Amino acid sequence: MFSKISLDQWQAFVSTVECGGFQQAGEHMFKSQSAISHSVNRMEALLGQELFLIEGRKAVLTPLGQALLPQAKHLLGSAQKLERLANQYQPGLFTEHALAVDMLFPADLLEQALFRFSSVLQGHRIRLYETALSGARELLEDGKVELGIASSLPAGYMQEFLLNVSLLCVVASDHALAHFNGELSLTDMKDYRQIVIRDSGMRISQNSGWLGTSQRWTVSNLSTALTFVERGLGFAWLPEHMVSEKLASGQLRTVPLCHQREREVPMYMGFPEEYKLNPEVRLMTDIIRELCQGIKSDKSEALALAL
């Protein structure tokens, strides 16, 4: 039955949900409202069930619509990737591995993983999406990547814990917060500028780590946040692996918070179940797993020596 539904119709269905209605979906797809409505009505006729219920002026998903939405997004993302690969085809370079990795994940581990993968599969291209917060989850849901690494991944996907990333609240050594007499509460922090990383996802906007300060600069990547902190323009929660050398040299200092001076962010690796036997996905997951296990072993040995 589903084979009778075209990609354009699936796109009309998804756009109606994401844009908030038939008219908005039509504007997004450069079609009339009636064309979108007709596409959705045709889908409902083929399925024999309704996808939307009209409540006032709003189209609300039925249980069937809710169940089909994640797979519809994945179908459209996979189709877009297939079309891109076909357009970029070169003899011997048809395969591409796409992955989304949260920028909190240690860059040196990622570099090693990509190098090892390319050493084994030299004819494969790699498309890396550097994401924040919900970005990796959305790319997985939309079928644009085969593998994701982030603190939160879609339910129902194959996933495993990799490691915890420690975040420290840091400022430049000449910043007023670095010389505060005593410990700082959240109230004390509200008058100082915080540098926050923007959620790279489009559907859900998160503010993880924001302390509710009156001044906030939102940036798109960690390197910009670090640069602003180094220049004394504000404070930020940054990965310990990124700032440890600058803390040791005295260029940066941790903010003397009275509560939660360090945050732990878990990193998970996940992929759709249909890729569990895919050789490229299995190779990349094996490499990343091995590298992360090595990091955890090194930390355990260091802790044992310290004790």
Side-chain angles (χ1 to χ4, degrees), residues 3-266:
S3 61
K4 299 177 182 178
I5 300 176
S6 69
L7 285 176
D8 279 346
Q9 289 171 323
W10 284 118
Q11 182 64 69
F13 165 63
V14 171
S15 295
T16 299
V17 177
E18 294 186 340
C19 297
F22 297 128
Q23 181 176 344
Q24 297 92 323
E27 293 172 356
H28 175 72
M29 295 182 64
F30 301 102
K31 294 184 177 182
S32 66
Q33 178 180 347
S34 60
I36 300 298
S37 299
H38 177 76
S39 292
V40 174
N41 291 338
R42 177 59 180 162
M43 290 178 66
E44 292 176 329
L46 290 169
L47 295 170
Q49 299 183 61
E50 292 184 325
L51 295 170
F52 293 98
L53 295 175
I54 305 302
E55 296 183 358
R57 294 185 177 181
K58 189 174 182 181
V60 179
L61 282 173
T62 64
L64 174 63
Q66 293 174 355
L68 292 180
L69 181 61
Q71 293 301 320
K73 291 179 181 177
H74 190 80
L75 171 66
L76 292 171
S78 297
Q80 291 170 3
K81 180 180 178 182
L82 181 61
E83 182 177 338
R84 185 181 69 249
L85 287 174
N87 289 333
Q88 297 176 350
Y89 172 72
Q90 298 176 35
L93 287 176
F94 188 60
T95 50
E96 178 182 270
H97 185 67
L99 67 161
V101 181
D102 193 288
M103 61 183 71
L104 293 180
F105 188 76
D108 59 336
L109 289 185
L110 178 59
E111 178 184 336
Q112 292 178 58
L114 298 183
F115 181 78
R116 290 190 189 182
F117 180 88
S118 293
S119 297
V120 176
L121 298 177
Q122 298 182 12
H124 278 62
R125 290 183 286 188
I126 294 175
R127 182 178 292 268
L128 173 66
Y129 294 86
E130 297 174 278
T131 63
L133 298 170
S134 67
R137 180 171 71 241
E138 286 190 9
L139 289 169
L140 273 173
E141 289 175 338
D142 294 349
K144 294 181 179 178
V145 299
E146 294 84 44
L147 180 67
I149 297 177
S151 60
S152 176
L153 297 174
Y157 282 58
M158 306 284 289
Q159 56 182 285
E160 62 183 276
F161 171 76
L162 291 176
L163 49 75
N164 283 316
V165 174
S166 296
L167 299 183
L168 302 176
C169 188
V170 297
V171 291
S173 58
D174 57 354
H175 192 281
L177 289 175
H179 304 282
F180 192 84
N181 186 20
E183 296 182 326
L184 289 154
S185 67
L186 295 183
T187 302
D188 296 326
M189 300 286 287
K190 286 186 176 179
D191 292 331
Y192 296 92
R193 183 184 298 115
Q194 182 176 0
I195 312 300
V196 180
I197 305 298
R198 180 181 64 84
D199 190 344
S200 64
M202 302 300 293
R203 295 190 285 273
I204 301 175
S205 181
Q206 299 180 5
N207 283 319
S208 179
W210 182 40
L211 299 183
T213 55
S214 58
Q215 300 183 64
R216 179 176 66 165
W217 287 3
T218 302
V219 299
S220 298
N221 57 71
L222 286 175
S223 60
T224 302
L226 177 58
T227 297
F228 286 173
V229 170
E230 289 176 326
R231 294 178 180 175
L233 298 174
F235 70 91
W237 287 95
L238 295 175
E240 182 178 9
H241 61 77
M242 187 181 192
V243 299
S244 57
E245 292 185 2
K246 296 181 184 296
L247 288 170
S249 68
Q251 186 176 355
L252 296 180
R253 292 189 184 180
T254 56
V255 177
L257 297 172
C258 58
H259 299 293
Q260 197 183 21
R261 294 191 177 189
E262 181 176 339
R263 296 169 53 216
E264 293 284 336
V265 179

